[in-house]
Amino acid sequence: MKVLMINGSPRANGNTSIALNEMKTVFEKEGVDAEIVQVGSEAVRGCIACNRCAELGKCVFDDVVNKLAVKLSEADGLVVATPVYYASANATLIAVLDRLFYSTSFDKTMKVGASVVCARRGGCSATFDELNKYFTISNMPIASSQYWNSIHGRGPGEAVGDAEGLQTMRVLARNMIFLMKSIELGKEKYGLPEKEEVVRTHFIR
């Protein structure tokens, strides 16, 4: 099994990475291949709604987003992590996720998603909700933990002192493994849920 872990922090070894590495240790111990990709310091522009991805099969801007698309297509789970900026996710990460989810046509149904947020103090819940919306619009079940998936720290490395946050990450990783394995067994026995043709409406018709 494979898990793609996206770090939206511009600091490769910051507090957000502490949370992801705590999860990665659990994944690897249980035989799950986990890869962390750092995107927070990348020069990534937002989606311009050109819809060229429908023709090309990938985003027209050939950067880290298209590299992530290949990894996500092969993954059984996706972890998205970010520091909290003004009660929101890092803008670079949002640009990555907007383009990643919009430009990829492969079916994400039953890939397990989990979001992780890191803050000095507040804004975790709003950011947590913001990231989960990418999963809920894509038929992706969300892995939960014993508390909301957050960890706290201000200065570099302070998150190692958040014992509850670190435990939350370990529990999250174990729950995610259980879900991925259960879904794999379910797909073997029952297949994926029946698909309907998508209906698109708006407020005019």
Side-chain angles (χ1 to χ4, degrees):
M1 309 205 92
K2 292 183 179 181
V3 174
L4 173 61
M5 309 177 80
I6 301 177
N7 188 347
S9 173
R11 296 181 175 87
N13 298 304
N15 290 314
T16 305
S17 70
I18 289 172
L20 288 178
N21 281 313
E22 195 75 5
M23 294 183 69
K24 190 172 190 285
T25 299
V26 175
F27 286 137
E28 292 177 344
K29 182 180 177 182
E30 297 296 326
V32 175
D33 181 17
E35 179 183 5
I36 299 174
V37 180
Q38 188 79 24
V39 302
S41 57
E42 296 277 346
V44 180
R45 67 168 302 152
C47 178
I48 60 170
C50 67
N51 287 321
R52 288 294 307 283
C53 52
E55 305 168 27
L56 301 174
K58 62 180 182 178
C59 185
V60 69
F61 300 118
D62 196 16
D63 55 16
V64 69
V65 172
N66 287 336
K67 295 181 178 69
L68 287 171
V70 176
K71 296 177 185 295
L72 179 57
S73 69
E74 299 171 349
D76 302 287
L78 172 65
V79 179
V80 179
T82 184
V84 174
Y85 295 163
Y86 290 94
S88 183
N90 181 341
T92 301
L93 177 64
I94 294 301
V96 166
L97 294 177
D98 281 353
R99 288 173 47 209
L100 177 62
F101 276 78
Y102 189 75
S103 66
T104 49
S105 59
F106 57 81
D107 191 4
K108 302 171 188 67
T109 299
M110 296 302 146
K111 290 181 184 289
V112 178
S115 58
V116 170
V117 296
C118 177
R120 176 190 68 86
R121 184 175 175 87
C124 286
S125 294
T127 307
F128 181 60
D129 291 342
E130 178 184 18
L131 295 180
N132 284 334
K133 291 179 175 65
Y134 290 95
F135 308 137
T136 57
I137 201 173
S138 304
N139 290 308
M140 296 173 64
I142 298 174
S144 60
S145 187
Q146 64 190 22
Y147 193 77
W148 295 296
N149 306 339
S150 60
I151 196 165
H152 290 81
R154 182 175 184 268
E158 281 188 353
V160 296
D162 183 3
E164 183 178 356
L166 291 172
Q167 185 178 65
T168 299
M169 296 304 122
R170 294 192 299 271
V171 173
L172 174 62
R174 293 188 193 103
N175 289 349
M176 197 168 177
I177 292 168
F178 178 83
L179 271 178
M180 290 188 297
K181 288 182 176 179
S182 298
I183 288 169
E184 186 64 28
L185 289 172
K187 285 195 291 187
E188 289 176 9
K189 186 169 184 178
Y190 303 110
L192 289 172
E194 180 184 349
K195 291 280 187 180
E196 293 188 18
E197 184 177 349
V198 176
V199 177
R200 301 289 186 192
T201 61
H202 54 69
F203 292 116
I204 296 175
R205 63 169 189 244

